[in-house]
Amino acid sequence: MSNSIQPAETDRYGCAIRLRPEHLTFRSFRDAWRSVAADDLYSLKRHQMALKAGSCDCETLWPDWAIIEDEYAELGFAAPTGTDSLHITWSAEEYFPVISDLRDRLRTQCQEAE
């Protein structure tokens, strides 16, 4: 289900890119970091899951955003008292050190599957 009237964007494999759900979209300046945190966590999880599954089908490449709900809350990203420093620290330790390699490995996996 899309929350936009625009046609869905597709990735390099022709899969529809799932839009971030409304409850994970924050528009105020103070909370904008929460949207970025959701995007980063989703990207990390979806790459890890697709590599683990060894699959390049669209449902595997773009799973439901529910896959991050629990961890998003556990990391404090959903907490009213949370600040962007939570995301900065997490991304420096957990996201940026691995995401490039995950993207490269998934690209290789999916190109070989074509």
Side-chain angles (χ1 to χ4, degrees):
M1 182 168 92
S2 176
N3 59 0
S4 172
I5 58 172
Q6 299 172 343
E9 282 188 65
T10 56
D11 67 7
R12 70 177 67 225
Y13 309 108
C15 297
I17 297 172
R18 286 189 195 257
L19 297 175
R20 184 179 345 101
E22 193 62 34
H23 70 281
L24 291 173
T25 301
F26 301 87
R27 292 182 173 83
S28 73
F29 179 76
R30 189 174 74 91
D31 287 331
W33 69 270
R34 295 176 195 273
S35 294
V36 178
D39 289 345
D40 289 350
L41 184 57
Y42 180 75
S43 178
L44 181 68
K45 291 298 169 193
R46 75 179 193 85
H47 281 84
Q48 290 171 334
M49 291 171 62
L51 286 165
K52 185 176 179 181
S55 176
C56 295
D57 67 62
C58 293
E59 282 299 311
T60 303
L61 292 176
W62 295 98
D64 190 279
W65 280 79
I67 65 166
I68 69 161
E69 300 275 345
D70 291 341
E71 190 168 355
Y72 186 85
E74 288 167 12
L75 290 167
F77 297 159
T81 56
T83 66
D84 62 341
S85 64
L86 288 171
H87 176 244
I88 291 167
T89 301
W90 174 84
S91 61
E93 294 172 0
E94 304 293 329
Y95 179 75
F96 289 118
V98 299
I99 195 63
S100 290
D101 179 59
L102 293 174
R103 285 181 182 140
D104 290 345
R105 289 175 43 211
L106 188 61
R107 188 174 302 119
T108 299
Q109 173 178 295
C110 293
Q111 285 172 343
E112 290 173 359
E114 290 178 351

